[in-house]
Amino acid sequence: MGIAERKDRQRAERERRIVAAARVIAEREGWNAVTIRRLADEIEHSQPVLYSHFENRDAIVAAVALEGFRDIAAALREAAGGSTGRNAIKNVATAYLAFAHRNPALYEAMFTLPTDLRFAEAGTRPELRAGFEALAAVVTPFCVDVDIATESFWAALHGLVELERSGRIRLGARSERIALIVRAMVVSGK
């Protein structure tokens, strides 16, 4: 292995460690605890080393969010696997809510904190598209306009996540809400 390859591998490993440390701190203590200084201490490098990898904290949040989009896409595809029709929509909706509640800080990085990640644009990153495509796969059989149906499905799920997280709706009624969303998706395409 040449020097350049070794340096590239070391750089990639440092970036992985920075992102992993940010995820751990955020899940344990919240995003306010994730600072460049704190991350530098966690990975035992100087702050300038972190800045050589990421322009600022928002760029680290974006890197964490990209991991989250890969993770949620995999969880949604797995939830849909082997099921069809209403069951596929229900399984994906349930998996979406479970993912958000298991990973609150990660979900916050994906959808709430400021990043330069953009949806529904020509340059949308593949990690973001993968999650959208996993949602689209289960609503496609029930709709004419897949994008509108998928955006609406996603908006309903995201709304439930945020309302449940803030304690504004009853957690005990989640399954009834999911059933209502499933019915709405199925009926809307007819």
Side-chain angles (χ1 to χ4, degrees), residues 109-153:
M110 295 164 65
F111 295 111
T112 306
L113 296 176
T115 69
D116 62 355
L117 300 174
R118 299 291 172 254
F119 291 88
E121 295 179 356
T124 298
R125 303 230 2 189
E127 297 89 346
L128 281 65
R129 288 185 191 276
F132 188 83
E133 289 165 1
L135 293 170
V138 298
V139 300
T140 296
F142 302 101
C143 61
V144 175
D145 188 329
V146 175
D147 288 344
I148 293 295
T150 304
E151 289 169 350
S152 299
F153 182 44

Side-chain angles (χ1 to χ4, degrees), residues 2-186:
I3 293 172
E5 289 174 334
R6 186 178 73 242
K7 285 186 178 191
D8 286 345
R9 192 178 73 227
Q10 289 171 338
R11 180 174 180 75
E13 175 59 21
R14 267 193 312 273
E15 283 183 13
R16 188 200 61 71
R17 290 181 56 218
I18 293 166
V19 170
R23 279 184 78 163
V24 167
I25 294 168
E27 288 296 349
R28 191 174 53 222
E29 302 172 40
W31 279 102
N32 287 336
V34 179
T35 64
I36 297 295
R37 178 183 305 270
R38 175 84 182 271
L39 290 171
D41 290 345
E42 286 287 324
I43 69 160
E44 298 176 339
H45 282 281
S46 67
Q47 290 180 46
V49 168
L50 268 75
Y51 283 116
S52 74
H53 290 275
F54 297 99
E55 182 180 347
N56 53 34
R57 181 180 175 270
D58 291 351
I60 295 169
V61 171
V64 169
L66 286 174
E67 281 191 357
F69 287 112
R70 282 189 291 270
D71 293 351
I72 199 169
L76 298 178
R77 283 191 303 268
E78 182 179 330
S83 59
T84 59
R86 290 174 179 256
N87 284 336
I89 297 173
K90 177 185 173 227
N91 293 345
V92 166
T94 302
Y96 187 98
L97 293 170
F99 178 90
H101 288 281
R102 264 193 328 272
N103 306 286
L106 180 59
Y107 192 85
E108 187 177 4
M110 295 164 65
F111 295 111
T112 306
L113 296 176
T115 69
D116 62 355
L117 300 174
R118 299 291 172 254
F119 291 88
E121 295 179 356
T124 298
R125 303 230 2 189
E127 297 89 346
L128 281 65
R129 288 185 191 276
F132 188 83
E133 289 165 1
L135 293 170
V138 298
V139 300
T140 296
F142 302 101
C143 61
V144 175
D145 188 329
V146 175
D147 288 344
I148 293 295
T150 304
E151 289 169 350
S152 299
F153 182 44
W154 180 18
L157 296 175
H158 178 68
L160 288 179
V161 167
E162 292 302 322
L163 290 169
E164 285 182 2
R165 283 173 30 149
S166 65
R168 289 184 170 83
I169 58 177
R170 297 167 291 133
L171 287 175
R174 178 187 287 175
S175 60
E176 290 86 353
R177 286 189 203 97
I178 290 172
L180 183 62
I181 291 170
V182 170
R183 280 194 306 275
M185 295 310 302
V186 171

